[in-house]
Amino acid sequence: MSGRAQLMWDEAVTGYDFGSSHPMDPVRLALTMGLVRAFGLDGKVDVRSAKAAGDSTLRLVHRADYVAAVRAASADPGSADQAYGLGTVDDPAFARMHEVSALIAGLSVGAAEAVWRGESTHAVNFTGGLHHAMPGAASGFCVYNDPALAIARLLELGAERVAYVDVDVHHGDGVQAAFWEDPRVLTVSLHEHPRTLFPQTGWAEETGAGPGEGGAVNLPLPAGTGDAGWLRAFHAVVPELLEDFRPQVLVTQHGADTHFEDPLAHLAVSLDAQRAVMTACHELAHSYADNGRWVALGGGGYAVVDVVPRSWTHLVGIAAHAPVDPESMIPASWRDEVYARTRQLGPARMTDGRAPAWKPWEDGYDPADRLDQAVLATRRAAFPLRGLLA
């Protein structure tokens, strides 16, 4: 395999634009790529585009009538059919919506193909991670479900075990739904508790069905969970599952909306803890996936200047085996770009100044602690179905 990671990028992805009042501002993508370039990481990865996902690829996950509805809304946004989740407050229709959504999906599929075929060990598409889209409906700012499409393409190419780990603040409901009965796919989602956050799914008791029973693992976290709890929960569940499953490819989703500055959710995670989980996913890929095969995707994130670009630039650096020192000062050229695009002042350093630490689960748990109760509920619901001790 190539020693260089692949970074999937196409300027056209900034056309994924729900409008000026929508929280998913595409400037976050442009600013991330700008920061990647400011740190010279574009010279340490192979930057490439890919073809937009065609109908045969989209139909690996999405219904033909839904794809047709997206095409129609893309050509005439005013005609969007809300029965398909289009033209809603969360998912307004916009011109060329199909084309740019299919491009983002194609970038994730291209990343998966490159890793599967041995063109690279790691591939990143921070423009992807649109994990809420359902087979027949847009949902939660997501039109086409690129993580599910990437996984479905891996299965089509012959993969027999694919693990998906989602650390976005929102439950990865669309990916879970796509593989609910498929024993070849293990989906693991850490997210804010459904009592307090969209999409109100992702309870510990959701574990898959039929031949896929035990293939879905959900860890809903109490609102307010910070670095220590988030990292403790991740390490209490994810490594043991991956060690047992031994995926041929690890696909991860790194929504930046767990951050304490994110305006749409209620966790209190720092950039430094996000970076620690990215590093852990990289290490887990090398430990348990075939030849370290790792596809890393973006996701949510609505602090579009202060958080998202720094978070995903760390992701690119980790995948490139050229991690950015958290203490690094951010180049002035990028901060000038931020001001020119947004009239905001960009952050100065690649850290929030935290040194996150956590207590390992193996050291014991507190039955009165809400975080520990959540971890224990997840382990009790899912682990025995996989032959593991709760």
Side-chain angles (χ1 to χ4, degrees), residues 35 39 271 305-306 310 325-332 334-335 338 345-352:
L35 191 56
F39 277 105
L271 181 75
V305 170
D306 285 346
R310 291 189 298 160
D325 185 341
E327 295 297 329
S328 297
M329 298 301 294
I330 291 176
W334 182 80
R335 301 183 73 207
V338 167
L345 298 177
R349 293 194 302 158
M350 290 295 287
T351 178
D352 287 332

Side-chain angles (χ1 to χ4, degrees), residues 256 296 346 372:
D372 283 7

Side-chain angles (χ1 to χ4, degrees), residues 40-327:
L41 293 174
D42 55 326
K44 297 178 181 179
V45 294
D46 293 329
V47 181
R48 71 179 189 90
S49 184
K51 292 182 179 179
D55 283 5
S56 63
T57 297
L58 293 172
R59 288 181 62 181
L60 292 173
V61 169
H62 295 289
R63 297 197 320 248
D65 61 314
Y66 173 62
V67 175
V70 175
R71 284 184 183 277
S74 182
D76 180 8
S79 70
D81 188 343
Q82 292 195 6
Y84 291 101
L86 302 168
T88 62
V89 172
D90 275 2
D91 298 282
F94 57 92
R96 295 188 57 79
M97 179 173 61
H98 165 77
E99 288 80 2
V100 70
S101 300
L103 174 60
I104 291 172
L107 294 176
S108 290
V109 169
E113 290 175 341
V115 167
W116 181 255
R117 291 170 174 161
E119 296 169 15
S120 186
T121 307
H122 309 326
V124 178
N125 177 24
F126 60 75
T127 74
L130 305 178
H131 58 172
H132 294 306
M134 293 293 176
S139 178
F141 314 163
C142 304
V143 177
Y144 292 138
N145 195 316
D146 65 283
L149 288 164
I151 294 167
R153 179 60 175 147
L154 288 167
L155 299 178
E156 187 178 50
L157 291 171
E160 298 175 347
R161 296 181 314 284
V162 180
Y164 173 73
V165 175
D166 187 320
V167 297
D168 193 288
V169 78
H170 301 92
H171 177 225
D173 57 338
V175 184
Q176 174 179 285
F179 305 106
W180 185 246
E181 298 186 12
D182 195 330
R184 298 172 295 175
V185 181
L186 172 67
T187 64
V188 185
S189 179
L190 281 75
H191 47 267
E192 185 179 326
H193 201 284
R195 286 196 190 96
T196 54
L197 195 66
F198 175 90
Q200 285 79 52
T201 58
W203 300 78
E205 295 76 18
E206 296 174 31
T207 55
E213 186 178 21
V217 181
N218 287 290
L219 180 41
L221 302 171
T225 297
D227 288 0
W230 195 62
L231 292 168
R232 174 171 167 79
F234 178 92
H235 287 282
V237 170
V238 176
E240 190 171 348
L241 290 168
L242 295 182
E243 182 180 15
D244 172 69
F245 190 62
R246 298 278 171 169
Q248 292 163 292
V249 183
L250 175 61
V251 180
T252 57
Q253 195 268 23
H254 297 273
D257 43 10
T258 52
H259 196 272
F260 55 77
E261 287 188 15
D262 197 90
L264 299 190
H266 318 97
L267 295 191
V269 173
S270 72
L271 181 75
D272 303 284
Q274 291 178 346
R275 183 179 182 275
V277 161
M278 294 169 185
T279 300
C281 288
H282 179 220
E283 292 171 351
L284 289 166
H286 279 291
S287 295
Y288 302 125
D290 285 0
N291 300 308
R293 287 181 172 128
W294 181 34
V295 177
L297 308 173
Y302 309 99
V304 299
V305 170
D306 285 346
V307 178
V308 174
R310 291 189 298 160
S311 185
W312 293 345
T313 296
H314 277 304
L315 180 63
V316 173
I318 290 163
H321 295 146
V324 177
D325 185 341
E327 295 297 329

